[in-house]
Amino acid sequence: MIHPERITPLNRKSPRRGRWILYWMQASQRASWNHALEFAIREANGPALPVVAFFGLTPDFPEANLRHYRFLLEGLREVRNNLEKRGVALVVRIVSPEKGALELCRDAALAVTDRGYLRIQKAWREAAARDALCPLIQVESDVIVPVESASPKEEFSAATLRPKIRTRLTDFLHPLEETPVERDSLGLRLPGLSLDDAEAVLRTLSLDRSVPPVDSFRGGPGEAGKRLERFLDDGLDRYATERNIPGSDAVSDLSPYLHFGHISPLEIALAVRASRRGNPAAKDAFLEELIVRRELAVNFVHYNPSYDAYEGAVPAWARRTLEDHARDPREYVYGLQDLEEARTHDPFWNAAQREMVRTGKMHNYMRMYWGKKILEWSASPADAFRTMLALNNRWELDGRDPNGFAGVAWCLGKHDRPWGERTIFGNVRYMNAAGLKRKFDMGAYLERFGTEA
Ligand code: FAD
């Protein structure tokens, strides 16, 4: 069953005669565990229409670069193959997504799309809903509890969202049944990009090429599935106790795949719950991150239109205390370039920055330390916010995600409470290198990332 709360009509256009049902796939880039795709198939089977899937490849996605686009294209090629196996042709065109969707809406009886929470993702859907001649229906598939069902407002913290999410889990933690396609769209031969040679497609796009692709993560649902298996076999059981150790392999490494929609959080959550390997504490700790923390970030960007601006994202109490300490002397002040090139006095921070630059993914505990130090070493908290977001979104494969905006704001007090007052930070939580050394053996991490490559 596709829970009705996942489904929102985005316009009031009447159903019409058409050649196909369009599935405009933008956020949920996968052919299974995809509520929007299943909804489109079910709508198509009644009138015996084929489903055409469409993805708009825009070279202008804010802050995306070669690293992100290669990962995206690796995934799309596999998704195209998986969709074809189900009888659904995927049309990929280099075009602004809403414009491309509108072209294919002309012959559609109905269009279905998935849901994204960032400003640009909402704007695409609003524009398409306004201009389409057919109904456009949004089906939310990249969260466990649909954002408005979890809460009608921006939540203060995990503590306020958690009980609301928990009461709805029994409604939403259910597997998604796949419906066979009754009439395939493979013979329609609609013009679109060939995805067989990702490098050739990349060459045709006018992109920021200053951030190289990484071999550490290969895009696609297949790779996401392998990583989930590895995590269930060897990781989950240690998650509660080892996930915070910098460089630890007790984490899932699924965030890039979640970001691109290559894997569904529902599939992950059900697999973790059913796993015989993980102990209850580990499962609880993991589901807290995957569901409560991740969906708190979705709640934040959905309800807070200023999620990417210091003034709007950082809560008033935190801005007040940070501004009270804005003139505190700073022992070190680094600019964007020094930070980007890992040229600070702090070997742990430099190692974290190198981990992100080289692998496309920094370990979670180090992300917190990394952000807190940027606050400590910036001329102002607003500068720190901008620097963190710029570096995070540029180098992390999972950047430009609700989690990134929430994580950066967290470093400045968002979703947190006031702590004891201290220099520069005021009442915002502080972290230091002594804490890292006391809690962890940092030797192995420094061995991997401590020196320039
Ligand atoms: P696991 O520990 O295996 O967790 C599984 C999933 O749960 C993650 O993939 C993620 O979706 C979710 N999750 C885990 N930790 C958190 C958390 N603290 N907050 C919200 N969700 C969480 N995450 C991103 O996806 N993109 C970002 O750009 C991003 N930037 C961040 C910046 C800063 C400054 C901070 C402090 C955190 C940031 N995070 C970001 C959150 C977190 O660090 C990553 O989600 C996590 O490290 C991903 O690794 P994993 O998949 O191995 O996580």
Side-chain angles (χ1 to χ4, degrees):
M1 169 199 170
I2 299 173
H3 204 290
E5 286 170 65
R6 293 195 184 278
I7 303 167
T8 313
L10 295 183
N11 60 18
R12 291 169 182 273
K13 309 284 162 73
S14 312
R16 56 207 279 273
R17 291 167 73 90
R19 293 171 64 203
W20 51 68
I21 300 290
L22 180 67
Y23 166 38
W24 171 20
M25 179 185 78
Q26 210 65 46
S28 311
Q29 296 167 31
R30 56 183 183 273
S32 54
W33 292 90
N34 182 337
H35 296 85
L37 172 65
E38 295 310 323
F39 182 84
I41 293 172
R42 290 173 201 181
E43 290 294 312
N45 282 351
L49 287 171
V51 175
V52 169
F54 164 71
F55 181 88
L57 184 62
T58 168
D60 301 323
F61 196 96
E63 299 183 278
N65 55 49
L66 185 59
R67 173 171 293 186
H68 305 117
Y69 278 95
R70 190 171 87 175
F71 191 89
L72 171 97
L73 281 166
E74 285 166 351
L76 270 186
R77 185 174 39 193
E78 192 190 329
V79 173
R80 176 205 59 190
N81 296 344
N82 294 345
L83 283 169
E84 283 181 0
K85 283 187 205 140
R86 296 194 62 187
V88 175
L90 173 64
V91 178
V92 178
R93 292 180 183 161
I94 300 176
V95 60
S96 190
E98 81 290 9
K99 296 205 174 91
L102 281 171
E103 280 165 23
L104 289 163
C105 274
R106 282 192 206 120
D107 286 311
L110 172 88
V112 178
T113 190
D114 42 35
R115 187 166 201 177
Y117 306 91
L118 302 187
R119 194 175 301 117
I120 185 169
Q121 296 173 308
K122 289 182 177 178
W124 288 337
R125 288 165 178 82
E126 272 163 31
R130 190 188 57 227
D131 296 342
L133 298 175
C134 65
L136 176 62
I137 298 178
Q138 174 177 272
V139 183
E140 197 170 356
S141 193
D142 287 336
V143 286
I144 308 279
V145 181
V147 63
E148 281 123 359
S149 305
S151 167
K153 61 177 173 65
E154 184 179 358
E155 289 294 329
F156 184 73
S157 67
T160 62
L161 181 65
R162 188 177 299 113
K164 297 180 182 172
I165 292 257
R166 284 210 178 137
T167 55
R168 301 305 314 271
L169 287 182
T170 44
D171 298 329
F172 292 105
L173 265 180
H174 297 292
L176 174 65
E177 216 177 288
E178 282 193 4
T179 304
V181 166
E182 284 174 14
R183 196 165 149 206
D184 78 54
S185 56
L186 304 180
L188 288 173
R189 310 221 169 276
L190 295 165
L193 273 183
S194 160
L195 298 170
D196 292 331
D197 184 350
E199 296 304 326
V201 177
L202 286 171
R203 278 195 297 275
T204 65
L205 297 174
S206 138
L207 296 176
D208 170 4
R209 294 177 191 276
S210 60
V211 178
V214 285
D215 293 330
S216 30
F217 291 92
R218 195 181 162 71
E223 185 62 28
K226 280 188 210 150
R227 283 179 190 262
L228 174 60
E229 285 303 313
R230 184 209 60 80
F231 176 65
L232 296 174
D233 285 349
D234 176 32
L236 175 59
D237 211 30
R238 295 178 286 131
Y239 189 78
T241 47
E242 295 181 27
R243 77 192 170 92
N244 278 335
I245 301 173
S248 154
D249 66 352
V251 294
S252 72
D253 277 339
L254 284 171
S255 54
Y257 303 91
L258 281 161
H259 172 74
F260 285 89
H262 293 165
I263 192 161
S264 117
L266 180 62
E267 178 184 6
I268 303 172
L270 290 174
V272 163
R273 287 228 308 198
S275 163
R276 296 219 195 104
R277 299 294 291 265
N279 57 71
K283 290 183 181 184
D284 283 353
F286 183 80
L287 294 175
E288 163 74 12
E289 300 301 329
L290 177 75
I291 307 178
V292 177
R293 298 281 166 176
R294 182 169 177 275
E295 295 187 12
L296 178 64
V298 169
N299 168 281
F300 167 53
V301 301
H302 179 63
Y303 287 116
N304 187 329
S306 307
Y307 60 80
D308 53 354
Y310 171 75
E311 297 288 336
V314 177
W317 72 263
R319 273 185 283 125
R320 240 182 341 262
T321 187
L322 288 169
E323 265 127 55
D324 285 347
H325 289 268
R327 282 183 234 296
D328 290 358
R330 273 115 168 109
E331 198 178 347
Y332 303 96
V333 176
Y334 295 109
L336 184 65
Q337 198 177 348
D338 285 332
L339 293 169
E340 189 150 37
E341 291 172 6
R343 280 195 271 117
T344 79
H345 64 284
D346 177 341
F348 300 134
W349 194 94
N350 293 344
Q353 173 68 19
R354 287 194 198 102
E355 181 184 18
M356 173 170 73
V357 166
R358 281 186 210 156
T359 70
K361 181 173 178 283
M362 192 194 299
H363 185 272
N364 175 56
Y365 198 87
M366 294 310 289
R367 291 194 204 207
M368 298 193 264
Y369 179 76
W370 173 90
K372 292 289 182 186
K373 290 292 140 185
I374 293 180
L375 173 57
E376 189 176 329
W377 302 332
S378 292
S380 74
D383 276 0
F385 183 85
R386 277 190 294 273
T387 303
M388 269 185 249
L389 260 192
L391 293 175
N392 186 84
N393 289 352
R394 181 167 152 77
W395 294 100
E396 299 280 21
L397 266 175
D398 60 22
R400 305 159 300 114
D401 186 275
N403 268 351
F405 295 102
V408 164
W410 176 86
C411 293
L412 279 79
K414 182 76 187 169
H415 296 151
D416 205 359
R417 62 171 172 86
W419 292 70
E421 190 160 7
R422 56 187 311 144
T423 176
I424 303 174
F425 286 76
N427 297 109
V428 169
R429 186 199 296 249
Y430 167 77
M431 283 172 79
N432 68 6
L436 280 183
K437 282 192 269 194
R438 191 176 64 246
K439 287 189 194 148
F440 312 114
D441 167 12
M442 293 297 290
Y445 190 69
L446 284 186
E447 219 161 86
R448 283 176 69 195
F449 303 111
T451 52
E452 285 173 34

